[in-house]
Structure formats: C-alpha cells, structure tokens
Amino acid sequence: MSYNPNPLYAAPEDWRAYSGVLSRRVFAFILDYVIVALLCIPAAIVLFFLSIVTLGLGFFLYPALFVIVAGIYFGLTVGGPSQASLGMRAMGIAIVRVDGRPMDFMTAMVHLALFWILNSVLTPLILLAGLFIERSRLVHDLLVGTATVRTA
C-alpha cells in the first residue's frame, strides 16, 4: 500500500472544483500527446530489437505502437495514485470517479478507449457537451462515471 498525501477520490459538490476544467483539459490533452509521441521513440527502438529476436513478428506491432504506448501511459498515470496524467498534473486537474472509489488501470483504459471512439464519431460535439452537462463532464465521463476536477 502506498501513501498518498492528498487522496482525491470522490467528486466534490463545490462548483469551484469544476470551473475552467474544459480549457485545462484541452491543454492537458496537447501536453499528454506530445509526451506519448516522445515515448514512442524509445518504444520503437525496443520494438525493433524485439522484432529481430522474434524473427520479424514484432514488426506487425508498429502500426499499433502509438495506441499501445498511449494505453500504457494513460493506464499507469490516470489509473495511478495521483489519478492524473503528466499533462493533467501540469494543468492542475485530476479524474475522479463519481462513486468515490479510486481510479484503477482498467477504468482508465476504458475511459481512454471511449474517448477515442466518441471523439472519432462526435469530434466537435464531444467538447460542446461539457458546456451543457453538469460539472463540465464530457460524454465518455458520463458513460464511465468519472468527473474531472481541479486539484490546485
């Protein structure tokens, strides 16, 4: 069991915890995907040597490399004790579950997968939903049962 000096599990009721969250989410998204793109470089090198060891079978993973790296990155950071990726930490936000339980790896992965699926179908509307839904939640937040709150 690890020590977390600032456990933030339940979604607060105070409206100030949700003010400015949408714009912070956009900037956190940009930072996180720059980080994921940079993490793809060493992952590609490791995958190259793994492909040599597996006699070329590893080369079939190159088309999915970004998805794999992003999934592991978000699963470990958002599903970790801080409940926020590095971009979210820089913007002072975190993802919390509405039921009060801490985020885990699988919930973070489902959150990411739903974000990608819904973003590919409802591209501009996914952010517009946050303007009208309580707590500035997006559609995938409603489906997973999460909310994004300010930590600072």
Side-chain angles (χ1 to χ4, degrees):
M1 184 161 89
S2 64
Y3 173 70
N4 187 359
N6 187 11
L8 179 65
Y9 296 135
E13 296 297 326
D14 190 8
W15 64 272
R16 291 175 290 199
Y18 306 102
S19 67
V21 166
L22 282 179
S23 59
R24 290 171 183 253
R25 281 182 94 160
V26 170
F27 289 118
F29 171 83
I30 294 168
L31 284 173
D32 283 330
Y33 278 90
V34 167
I35 293 169
V36 169
L38 291 174
L39 288 175
C40 282
I41 296 169
I45 294 169
V46 169
L47 185 58
F48 175 77
F49 289 111
L50 181 70
S51 299
I52 292 173
V53 171
T54 61
L55 302 176
L57 289 177
F59 287 119
F60 290 111
L61 291 177
Y62 272 110
L65 184 64
F66 185 83
V67 173
I68 294 168
V69 171
I72 292 171
Y73 170 76
F74 284 106
L76 292 176
T77 56
V78 174
S82 66
Q83 300 187 167
S85 63
L86 297 177
M88 291 176 172
R89 288 183 210 169
M91 292 293 114
I93 56 176
I95 296 179
V96 295
R97 290 176 59 164
V98 177
D99 60 5
R101 294 186 299 175
M103 287 287 286
D104 57 348
F105 185 83
M106 189 53 72
T107 307
M109 293 291 291
V110 170
H111 189 268
L112 177 66
L114 282 174
F115 170 73
W116 282 343
I117 292 167
L118 292 172
N119 197 23
S120 65
V121 175
L122 308 169
T123 300
L125 301 176
I126 195 165
L127 288 176
L128 290 177
L131 297 173
F132 302 106
I133 299 174
E134 63 167 342
R135 299 179 180 172
S136 298
R137 295 168 71 188
L138 302 180
V139 177
H140 61 285
D141 291 329
L142 293 172
L143 294 173
V144 179
T146 59
T148 302
V149 297
R150 294 177 67 162
T151 57

